[in-house]
């Protein structure tokens, strides 16, 4: 036990004192926050860009239908032919020209209208223009059929089914998907940590093997102790770096909010401008009420329980995969030779993310979701997608959580035992690119 603690300490200090580790520990949060700020800034610039569209209307329709918005303005041309209008648009640098010809009726006018632009127009611009035509055509067709606009609106009102639990609690549409997304975010963190820091373990083993330092170390400690010490030491260094990233990112985001005076409530400011059949005030009231219900539902998520299980699945999942990474590092002489072994490791993680989202979103208690949340190589991710719904009645059954953790522990012991066999033989093997058959042979030693 004393030798194991020394190995853990050595691996931990070797990682945290590394210059690249220190630089990336403090540089990564700055880069991440900077990237988010850049995206927000570019999005804001793009949203603030006003596109000017010329309108050449030769018909008796649409004289007042096209109204400017925050992102689009319209300029009307009169007493000018189409070619002259096109030339004027290009000279003035406008976004495009909407040509509405003079025809006998509205249907022909709409069918023969054209939008001219230098490049292919954006879908949002076309959607806005098409909506104007569709609305006017709809109104005329209703009048021809003898249906008033108010009658049509009453027929076309949307219907939404109200749902509740057997206990009488109201269910919210989409809350299951939101909870699964929250759990999926935790699972995604586990996957990224495994891929990044599992690779650190593998490269550390390869480095010591190629420099022949391992031959000296192995004379003093058992291979199993060395492998376990590397896994734990590297994981502790990774947790340290990860914690610094999260704390630094939150602090920098907080500073940015204070410096630029960002109001989070402004994100919902567009609700009052949302078009619809309901009045603006009623729409805002209904929207605020719905938002409050969703906020209450999110507060009811057992966050402490979720974080505790995140730590459990994080530790067990990482130990399983990092043991495999250590075994691969011991089996090869350079990082290039690891490519044939890496994909089978990453495949269950990718499968857990994609299958987890599809299955948990649609049916969190279905056989696929349950099966992948019990299978040890995918359970750290899929089970975390299900846990925001709670444990027990209405949530994940307690026995599934217990079985999932027990299977992870058993799998960890088995994987470590098998990895130690490969590690013991492969750590002293040089000059040969191992195959899967060689690995199976080493397991029998």
């Amino acid at each position: 036990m004393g030798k194991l603690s020394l190995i853990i300490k050595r691996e931990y200090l070797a990682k945290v004192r590394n210059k690249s580790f220190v630089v990336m520990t403090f540089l990564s949060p700055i880069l991440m926050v900077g990237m988010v700020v850049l995206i927000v800034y570019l999005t804001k610039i793009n949203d603030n860009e006003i596109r000017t569209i010329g309108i050449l209307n030769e018909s008796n329709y649409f004289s007042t239908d096209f109204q400017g918005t925050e992102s689009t303005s319209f300029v009307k041309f009169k007493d000018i032919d189409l070619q002259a209008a096109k030339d004027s648009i290009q000279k003035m640098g406008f976004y495009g020209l909407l040509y509405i010809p003079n025809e006998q009726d509205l249907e022909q006018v709409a069918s023969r209208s054209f939008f001219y632009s230098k490049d292919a127009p954006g879908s949002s611009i076309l959607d806005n223009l098409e909506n104007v035509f569709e609305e006017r055509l709809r109104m005329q067709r209703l009048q021809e059929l003898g249906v008033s606009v108010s009658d049509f609106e009453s027929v076309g009102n949307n219907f939404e089914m109200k749902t509740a639990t057997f206990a009488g609690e109201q269910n919210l549409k989409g809350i299951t998907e939101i909870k699964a997304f929250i759990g999926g975010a935790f699972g995604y963190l586990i996957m990224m940590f495994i891929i990044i820091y599992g690779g650190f373990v593998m490269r550390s083993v390869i480095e010591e093997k190629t420099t022949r330092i391992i031959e000296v170390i192995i004379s003093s400690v058992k291979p199993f102790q060395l492998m376990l010490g590397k896994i734990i030491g590297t994981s502790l260094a990774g947790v340290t770096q990860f914690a610094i990233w999260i704390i630094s990112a939150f602090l920098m985001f907080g500073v940015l909010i204070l410096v630029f005076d960002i109001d989070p409530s402004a994100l919902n400011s567009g609700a009052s401008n949302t078009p619809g059949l309901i009045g603006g005030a009623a729409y805002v009231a209904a929207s605020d009420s719905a938002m409050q219900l969703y906020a209450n539902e999110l507060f009811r998520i057992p966050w402490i329980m979720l974080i505790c299980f995140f730590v459990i699945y994080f530790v067990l999942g990482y130990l399983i995969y990092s043991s495999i990474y250590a075994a691969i590092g011991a089996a090869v002489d350079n990082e290039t030779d690891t490519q044939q072994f890496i994909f089978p490791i990453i495949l269950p993680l990718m499968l857990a993310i994609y299958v987890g989202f599809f299955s948990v979103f649609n049916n969190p208690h279905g056989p696929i979701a349950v099966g992948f949340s019990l299978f040890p190589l995918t359970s750290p991710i899929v089970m975390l997608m299900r846990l925001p719904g709670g444990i027990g009645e209405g949530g994940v059954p307690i026995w599934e959580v217990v079985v999932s953790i027990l299977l992870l522990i058993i799998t960890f012991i088995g994987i470590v035992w098998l990895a130690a066999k490969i590690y013991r033989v492969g750590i002293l093997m040089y000059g040969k690119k191992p195959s899967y058959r060689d690995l199976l042979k080493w397991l029998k030693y």
Side-chain angles (χ1 to χ4, degrees):
M1 192 66 185
K3 292 181 179 179
L4 178 61
S5 61
L6 288 175
I7 296 170
I8 294 173
K9 182 179 178 181
R10 173 187 174 274
E11 290 295 325
Y12 178 81
L13 293 177
K15 288 290 180 296
V16 298
R17 289 176 177 175
N18 187 283
K19 289 184 179 179
S20 61
F21 182 92
V22 175
V23 170
M24 291 308 299
T25 297
F26 294 98
L27 185 62
S28 294
I30 298 174
L31 294 176
M32 287 189 290
V33 173
M35 182 180 66
V36 173
V37 172
L38 179 62
I39 293 172
V40 172
Y41 176 71
L42 294 177
T43 304
K44 187 176 180 181
I45 291 177
N46 186 60
D47 291 341
N48 290 337
E49 181 183 357
I50 299 177
R51 297 180 175 90
T52 303
I53 296 175
I55 298 179
L56 178 59
N57 188 0
E58 298 176 347
S59 71
N60 296 321
Y61 306 95
F62 303 105
S63 57
T64 60
D65 294 77
F66 293 95
Q67 301 294 329
T69 63
E70 293 181 356
S71 60
T72 308
S73 64
F74 295 97
V75 175
K76 297 180 181 180
F77 290 85
K78 292 182 179 180
D79 303 325
I80 188 174
D81 60 24
L82 178 59
Q83 187 58 48
K86 288 182 181 179
D87 294 338
S88 299
I89 290 292
Q90 294 183 60
K91 288 179 181 177
M92 290 184 286
F94 287 178
Y95 185 79
L97 171 67
L98 176 62
Y99 173 61
I100 305 175
N102 185 19
E103 299 293 342
Q104 294 180 356
D105 55 42
L106 179 61
E107 295 285 347
Q108 292 183 354
V109 169
S111 64
R112 297 182 181 179
S113 296
F114 272 87
F115 182 77
Y116 299 94
S117 60
K118 182 179 180 181
D119 300 314
S123 57
S124 61
I125 295 292
L126 284 181
D127 289 341
N128 293 333
L129 296 177
E130 289 170 353
N131 287 338
V132 174
F133 282 91
E134 288 175 358
E135 186 68 20
R136 188 65 182 270
L137 289 169
R138 184 183 296 111
M139 295 302 174
Q140 176 168 301
R141 291 165 184 168
L142 287 172
Q143 291 175 0
E144 291 174 354
L145 293 171
V147 180
S148 66
V149 176
S150 59
D151 289 339
F152 177 78
E153 289 179 350
S154 64
V155 172
N157 283 341
N158 293 329
F159 172 78
E160 185 174 330
M161 178 67 70
K162 296 180 178 63
T163 63
T165 63
F166 288 114
E169 295 181 359
Q170 180 182 355
N171 288 327
L172 294 174
K173 186 177 181 180
I175 193 64
T176 300
E177 288 80 359
I178 294 173
K179 289 179 178 179
F181 185 81
I182 293 172
F186 282 107
Y188 188 78
L189 287 177
I190 291 178
M191 185 186 76
M192 294 305 298
F193 193 92
I194 288 173
I195 293 174
I196 294 172
Y197 294 100
F200 281 180
V201 174
M202 183 181 67
R203 284 188 288 272
S204 176
V205 175
I206 294 174
E207 182 182 356
E208 290 184 352
K209 182 179 177 181
T210 53
T211 56
R212 303 297 179 96
I213 298 175
I214 198 71
E215 295 178 0
V216 179
I217 300 175
I218 210 72
S219 63
S220 303
V221 297
K222 295 179 180 179
F224 178 79
Q225 290 179 316
L226 181 60
M227 184 188 74
L228 200 60
K230 281 185 172 297
I231 293 171
I232 297 175
T234 304
S235 64
L236 290 176
V239 169
T240 302
Q241 189 178 56
F242 204 66
I244 294 174
W245 283 352
I246 294 175
I247 295 171
S248 301
F250 272 112
L251 290 175
M252 281 187 280
F253 274 123
V255 170
L256 287 174
I257 290 174
L258 293 175
V259 170
F260 293 101
D261 194 23
I262 300 173
D263 183 8
S265 62
L267 297 173
N268 298 323
S269 60
S272 59
N273 298 324
T274 304
L277 301 176
I278 309 173
Y283 181 87
V284 172
S287 177
D288 289 345
S289 176
M291 289 297 294
Q292 185 62 43
L293 288 174
Y294 279 101
N296 293 338
E297 193 68 26
L298 291 177
F299 278 121
R300 292 174 60 185
I301 293 176
W303 291 103
I304 297 177
M305 178 272 292
L306 186 61
I307 293 173
C308 291
F309 277 107
F310 167 74
V311 173
I312 293 172
Y313 282 103
F314 169 80
V315 171
L316 292 175
Y318 174 75
L319 290 176
I320 288 174
Y321 279 96
S322 60
S323 301
I324 302 174
Y325 273 106
I328 292 174
V332 300
D333 289 341
N334 55 74
E335 198 168 342
T336 305
D337 296 338
T338 64
Q339 302 307 312
Q340 61 175 323
F341 302 110
I342 292 297
F343 183 70
I345 301 177
I346 299 177
L347 186 61
L349 297 172
M350 296 171 58
L351 193 64
I353 288 290
Y354 292 111
V355 175
F357 271 116
F358 286 121
S359 61
V360 176
F361 271 34
N362 297 324
N363 190 4
H365 304 299
I368 297 177
V370 173
F372 276 88
S373 62
L374 295 178
F375 182 59
L377 297 181
T378 58
S379 62
I381 295 174
V382 180
M383 183 60 83
L384 283 173
M385 293 184 182
R386 300 176 62 204
L387 284 177
I391 297 178
E393 186 178 355
V396 181
I398 297 176
W399 72 266
E400 290 182 10
V401 179
V402 174
V403 171
S404 174
I405 294 174
L406 287 176
L407 288 176
L408 276 173
I409 295 173
I410 294 171
T411 303
F412 165 64
I413 295 172
I415 291 290
V416 168
W417 181 70
L418 293 174
K421 282 178 169 289
I422 297 174
Y423 191 92
R424 182 180 59 189
V425 179
I427 202 70
L428 297 175
M429 295 285 290
Y430 299 98
K432 182 183 179 183
K433 186 177 180 180
S435 62
Y436 286 102
R437 183 178 294 180
D438 294 326
L439 298 182
L440 290 174
K441 227 184 257 186
W442 295 352
L443 291 175
K444 298 176 182 178
Y445 292 158

